[in-house]
Amino acid sequence: RLLALKSQYNMSIAHFEANLELIHELLPPESKLPKDFYQSKKIFEGLCMPYIKIDVCYNNCMLYYKDNESKKKCDVCGTSRYEVGSSRVPRKVLRYLPITNRLQRLYAHKNTAKLMQSHKPCTTGKMVHPCDGEAWQQFDRDFPDFGNDRRNVRLAFATDGFTPFSLAAAPYSCWPVFVTPLNLPPGTLMKSEYIFLALVVPGPEHPGKKLGILMQPLVDELMCLWGGVETFDASLKKNFNMRAAYMWSVHDFPAYGNFFGWSTHGRFACPVCLCDSLAFTLHYGRKACWFDCHRRFLPSDHEFRFQANAFRKNTVVLEEAPRHLTGEEIFAQMNRFVGDTENYGILHNWTHMSGLWQLPYYCKLLLPHNIDMMHNEKNLAEAVWNTCFDVTDKTKDNAKARKDLAEICHRPSLHLKLKANGKWDKPRAPYCINKNDKPKILKWFQTLKFPDGYAANIRRGVNLLQKKIFGLKSHDYHTLMERLLPVAFRGFLPENVWLCLAELSFFYRQLCAKELSKDTIYSLEQQVVVLVCKLEKIFPPGFFNPMQHLIIHLPREARLGGPVQSRWNYPFER
């Protein structure tokens, strides 16, 4: 515990040993507590769980690793490996913590060993574990020698930026990469004791598309684990060949692009639709927009396809939905376009090829990366709240949005009107709360009380003077979207608008359930497209950024990966 405190608070060795001396005075003479820092490190070395320092090019171009270990300059940019005036102090260091020994230790205790092989596909049509998803089951069919032994480990990766210093200090962001086994039962899965830190990517800036270069040691270890390592199974009292495979990654949307190699910016931001998204750039808003890109996902005879003025002006939709590409097709497309800067943003958004493609099974994965439900729900709830409450600096219904709406849609009642004094008047939209009703809703939020641990104290952030709620976190928006929004807005919005928002709330509540019905998921895949189209008939084009578009892919990912509790960022961000 002292070693952990030393690492956390940057405790000096002298301070560390002074604490040890104080503890020794309180313990009996026969205690075996180490006498000093050196003896403490020796104990940890016996556990065979070291971390490895690997020098990195200051610009993240290459690792001084394997064949490059003895080099003193970067092969790409020519930057010196060491600090100026020194031949031993590296400018940047990657910390790598091998995961093999930690996975083996999960089988060293008989209770944990039993948990690691307790998962079985549910036969009642329910989905309660990742093994109930189609991605897991298809992987077992593609590699039966791996799937037949339940002791083989499936791994999930996660990464996010982390600031280790206070906000008042110099800006610095490092990037921890976590690995967690998916074999554990639902009650144990994603608990902090089973989330392993594998890499600490140094800052001070975002690694961007060079994250794949920095993950190479972890990819090399995955290659070894695919062949297997001899491991002792304490539950059976004998050795076996433990194999491990990457199943999927969990991260926010920008990190999705770094893992996948597809830029999540611009018109081709969707990494599922790729370059077949039909998004466009708004003339006044100057942002990528996915308005009226979803009618083609509807059945060919659906009435929305033929409503010429409910979406774009004088437009009906006859196109088919884009097809999901296989891993082999994506790999071929990457080989064709990676490095083609001339057609970047025109024919493709490929930026680099991830090191994960080196894995022999990677192209067979049905769900190699997940759209993070936590960030998606938070961003959508924030957009709905700020637009309906007409929050001045955050609403999606500003003057530029109304100008774009006049160009794209046939909704004359919402067009800006020029007043006699030369100023523009913005008519109140039906999805905006009346300014006299806002205090009533906020006062209701001030009366809210939740069970302990259910949600944060939202009423502390209510400001009646500015008519806003401050300090809402991701989980607060989760509670707002799934439980509070339909109650708060009922009676203050037109019935058709309120019903649409209530459907959106119910959609997320069904998708975030700990137990999913396969029939419900198939139904949601059909209903979500209609739901997004209903939102398009209500809100202006400027409302529909990539996050609003990604909703249509969430039910499919639930069908492939199982319950969202093993595929969102809450445990890793904690």
Side-chain angles (χ1 to χ4, degrees):
R1 187 169 295 180
L2 274 173
L3 280 171
L5 287 172
K6 180 185 184 302
S7 173
Q8 183 176 356
Y9 297 110
N10 199 19
M11 187 188 297
S12 68
I13 294 177
H15 190 191
F16 176 84
E17 294 186 343
N19 278 282
L20 277 179
E21 290 178 6
L22 181 62
I23 294 173
H24 274 295
E25 293 177 4
L26 302 175
L27 292 175
E30 64 274 11
S31 66
K32 296 182 179 180
L33 191 72
K35 301 295 183 183
D36 53 27
F37 182 62
Y38 175 76
Q39 295 296 330
S40 302
K41 286 180 68 178
K42 293 294 287 183
I43 290 176
F44 271 77
E45 284 180 9
L47 295 176
C48 298
M49 291 190 290
Y51 78 89
I52 302 167
K53 294 181 179 180
I54 302 174
D55 294 351
V56 188
C57 167
Y58 188 75
N59 298 317
N60 297 328
C61 302
M62 62 174 280
L63 298 176
Y64 296 101
Y65 169 70
K66 288 189 173 180
D67 295 340
N68 299 323
E69 190 171 1
S70 60
K71 293 183 178 179
K72 296 184 179 180
K73 285 188 177 181
C74 175
D75 293 340
V76 180
C77 65
T79 306
S80 174
R81 173 178 180 175
Y82 299 109
E83 294 283 358
V84 177
S86 172
S87 60
R88 300 188 64 182
V89 180
R91 299 185 69 183
K92 187 177 283 191
V93 178
L94 172 75
R95 266 78 176 180
Y96 169 50
L97 296 84
I99 61 173
T100 301
N101 292 321
R102 285 179 281 177
L103 293 178
Q104 288 177 312
R105 289 184 185 281
L106 293 176
Y107 286 98
H109 192 281
K110 66 176 183 179
N111 291 338
T112 314
K114 289 178 181 178
L115 291 178
M116 286 291 289
Q117 48 193 306
S118 63
H119 59 279
K120 292 181 181 178
C122 187
T123 58
T124 60
K126 299 288 185 181
M127 302 172 72
V128 296
H129 188 269
C131 70
D132 297 320
E134 292 181 13
W136 186 302
Q137 295 170 8
Q138 182 62 45
F139 188 84
D140 287 352
R141 287 193 291 269
D142 289 337
F143 302 99
D145 56 331
F146 185 93
N148 288 338
D149 191 343
R150 291 210 308 270
R151 295 175 295 187
N152 290 330
V153 186
R154 277 80 168 176
L155 300 172
F157 285 24
T159 185
D160 199 3
F162 174 74
T163 303
F165 309 119
S166 67
L167 295 177
Y172 186 96
S173 178
C174 64
W175 287 76
V177 178
F178 299 103
V179 176
T180 184
L182 297 173
N183 294 42
L184 296 162
T188 312
L189 189 64
M190 294 292 174
K191 286 197 171 181
S192 58
E193 55 265 35
Y194 299 110
I195 297 177
F196 306 137
L197 179 64
L199 286 170
V200 181
V201 177
E205 296 176 354
H206 191 293
K209 65 181 183 181
K210 295 179 180 178
L211 179 64
I213 297 172
L214 304 175
M215 286 183 58
Q216 190 59 46
L218 189 55
V219 173
D220 291 342
E221 190 173 9
L222 285 174
M223 295 284 284
C224 295
L225 285 170
W226 180 245
V229 292
E230 188 176 7
T231 303
F232 179 72
D233 186 346
S235 63
L236 300 177
K237 306 296 184 184
K238 62 180 182 181
N239 290 342
F240 76 103
N241 186 46
M242 182 192 72
R243 301 174 65 188
Y246 167 94
M247 279 298 290
W248 56 60
S249 60
V250 182
H251 29 56
D252 60 10
F253 202 44
Y256 193 127
N258 296 334
F259 259 78
F260 188 39
W262 178 272
S263 174
T264 52
H265 302 281
R267 295 185 299 113
F268 299 151
C270 177
V272 182
C273 297
L274 299 177
C275 54
D276 193 13
S277 66
L278 298 187
F280 59 97
T281 302
L282 294 171
H283 181 247
Y284 294 98
R286 307 307 302 166
K287 291 184 178 179
C289 177
W290 272 258
F291 179 75
D292 199 20
C293 294
H294 307 103
R295 281 195 282 173
R296 61 187 182 140
F297 290 89
L298 292 166
S300 58
D301 58 346
H302 198 281
E303 60 177 332
F304 283 177
R305 281 179 172 265
F306 308 102
Q307 292 181 353
N309 284 312
F311 299 88
R312 285 176 179 264
K313 294 178 183 177
N314 305 317
T315 305
V316 296
V317 175
L318 302 176
E319 294 94 341
E320 295 288 331
R323 184 176 62 86
H324 292 289
L325 300 182
T326 64
E328 290 84 356
E329 290 172 328
I330 292 174
F331 186 64
Q333 194 179 113
M334 290 180 73
N335 283 323
R336 178 185 172 193
F337 286 119
V338 167
D340 180 11
T341 56
E342 186 176 339
N343 291 309
Y344 176 80
I346 301 172
L347 298 179
H348 70 95
N349 256 24
W350 293 113
T351 56
H352 64 287
M353 185 172 287
S354 169
L356 294 170
W357 286 99
Q358 300 171 32
L359 301 175
Y361 52 85
Y362 186 78
C363 62
K364 296 291 185 181
L365 299 175
L366 294 182
L367 186 64
H369 310 284
N370 285 273
I371 299 167
D372 181 32
M373 176 76 79
M374 183 192 81
H375 286 95
N376 181 271
E377 187 179 34
K378 182 257 183 187
N379 288 331
L380 189 59
E382 190 175 22
V384 170
W385 173 265
N386 291 329
T387 302
C388 291
F389 243 65
D390 200 19
V391 179
T392 305
D393 53 338
K394 294 184 178 181
T395 180
K396 302 288 186 180
D397 185 32
N398 51 30
K400 291 181 179 179
R402 290 293 178 94
K403 290 180 181 179
D404 286 319
L405 182 141
E407 276 193 359
I408 298 168
C409 305
H410 182 71
R411 301 177 192 174
S413 61
L414 297 180
H415 294 179
L416 295 176
K417 298 177 182 178
L418 187 63
K419 297 191 291 187
N421 59 4
K423 294 184 178 180
W424 290 97
D425 175 51
K426 187 177 79 170
R428 188 174 72 86
Y431 46 80
C432 288
I433 304 290
N434 191 300
K435 65 178 181 179
N436 297 324
D437 294 330
K438 291 180 183 179
K440 299 177 185 177
I441 296 174
L442 292 175
K443 286 178 182 178
W444 177 76
F445 273 101
Q446 285 186 323
T447 65
L448 287 178
K449 293 181 180 180
F450 301 107
D452 187 32
Y454 180 81
N457 190 0
I458 295 178
R459 59 183 178 176
R460 288 183 303 182
V462 175
N463 189 316
L464 291 174
L465 291 177
Q466 298 186 35
K467 298 178 181 178
K468 295 181 182 179
I469 300 180
F470 292 96
L472 294 179
K473 307 295 184 184
S474 297
H475 192 267
D476 300 328
Y477 281 111
H478 171 77
T479 308
L480 182 71
M481 172 58 79
E482 296 191 12
R483 298 292 176 182
L484 304 180
L485 210 60
V487 181
F489 286 171
R490 183 155 197 177
F492 299 105
L493 291 174
E495 189 71 10
N496 67 313
V497 177
W498 179 84
L499 281 174
C500 185
L501 294 179
E503 283 183 44
L504 183 64
S505 172
F506 186 59
F507 166 77
Y508 275 112
R509 192 156 68 247
Q510 286 181 294
L511 214 54
C512 292
K514 291 184 178 179
E515 184 179 281
L516 298 174
S517 166
K518 291 185 178 180
D519 293 337
T520 300
I521 292 299
Y522 285 118
S523 175
L524 285 178
E525 285 192 74
Q526 299 172 354
Q527 294 173 9
V528 68
V529 185
V530 180
L531 174 59
V532 174
C533 290
K534 287 180 181 178
L535 290 172
E536 289 178 339
K537 295 175 75 172
I538 294 171
F539 292 103
F543 182 86
F544 296 92
N545 60 26
M547 281 295 158
Q548 279 71 352
H549 165 73
L550 292 176
I551 302 172
I552 65 170
H553 300 306
L554 294 178
R556 173 182 175 269
E557 293 200 351
R559 174 167 56 85
L560 297 177
V564 74
Q565 282 72 29
S566 61
R567 297 182 297 104
W568 61 11
N569 243 333
Y570 281 116
F572 302 108
E573 293 219 345
R574 287 194 192 103

